[in-house]
Amino acid sequence: EYLAMNPHGLIPCIRDPNNDDNVAVWESNTICRYLAEAHGVGTGWYGPTAAHRAVASGWMDWALHGYDHSPCFGSANHHLIDQVARTASEQRDKGIITNAHAQYCSVFHQLEGRLRENAATGAYLTGLLPSVADIPIGVEINRWYAEASIFILEDFEPYMFGRIVYKV
């Protein structure tokens, strides 16, 4: 039954009870865009113009995929979790872990630069108000701090050479 809603069989996936079409919406960024457009009209979450929505969507897609092989959260998170949570400690590759950490830091520095650029006009990625662009970024920041708790495990410490891994 779930595969009928999401052909990939993965989460997240929602059905909006307020939608007469009974459409299933899957993929987190798509769900954010859908909810903002379907229920956030006039709130600023999806922006008043197509240009504003395009800027917000660009940041959402960048966070997940990056551009031209630039660092992105999706890749860094995949490698970090794969190594730290899914790989036996004796089989972990410290190079992959170190590179994933560096990638996370690089992405956070890019975001910090964007927020500094916007400081005169607002504290959010697209300006004065939070938008759908800020939601996946907030998720990644939360994930970063949640995953930092993994790094205090005794068998992980040698891989990080004594560094505090959650400090950006």
Side-chain angles (χ1 to χ4, degrees), residues 46-101:
Y46 206 40
T49 67
H52 187 275
R53 291 187 294 275
V55 170
S57 287
W59 279 104
M60 294 172 78
D61 294 340
W62 168 82
L64 188 60
H65 303 293
Y67 295 113
D68 297 327
H69 306 291
S70 67
C72 67
F73 286 122
S75 174
N77 183 59
H78 167 76
H79 293 300
L80 199 57
I81 288 299
D82 189 53
Q83 286 293 310
V84 175
R86 298 182 185 129
T87 302
S89 60
E90 65 275 3
Q91 296 175 340
R92 291 181 184 151
D93 184 324
K94 67 180 177 182
I96 292 174
I97 294 169
T98 302
N99 287 340
H101 173 259

Side-chain angles (χ1 to χ4, degrees), residues 3-138:
L3 286 175
M5 289 175 42
N6 182 341
H8 304 293
L10 302 171
I11 57 172
C13 181
I14 65 166
R15 274 201 203 276
D16 183 351
N18 298 315
N19 182 324
D20 294 335
D21 295 333
N22 198 31
V23 65
V25 182
W26 41 273
E27 291 297 328
S28 56
N29 284 353
T30 303
I31 291 169
C32 287
R33 290 180 187 108
Y34 169 79
L35 291 172
E37 189 169 339
H39 302 285
V41 174
T43 65
W45 280 102
Y46 206 40
T49 67
H52 187 275
R53 291 187 294 275
V55 170
S57 287
W59 279 104
M60 294 172 78
D61 294 340
W62 168 82
L64 188 60
H65 303 293
Y67 295 113
D68 297 327
H69 306 291
S70 67
C72 67
F73 286 122
S75 174
N77 183 59
H78 167 76
H79 293 300
L80 199 57
I81 288 299
D82 189 53
Q83 286 293 310
V84 175
R86 298 182 185 129
T87 302
S89 60
E90 65 275 3
Q91 296 175 340
R92 291 181 184 151
D93 184 324
K94 67 180 177 182
I96 292 174
I97 294 169
T98 302
N99 287 340
H101 173 259
Q103 193 172 13
Y104 254 117
C105 290
S106 176
V107 174
F108 278 127
H109 288 298
Q110 290 178 46
L111 286 171
E112 185 178 32
R114 172 60 179 198
L115 293 172
R116 281 194 179 128
E117 288 172 14
N118 279 3
T121 58
Y124 300 96
L125 285 173
T126 60
L128 289 172
L129 298 172
S131 72
V132 292
D134 297 288
I135 295 170
I137 301 304

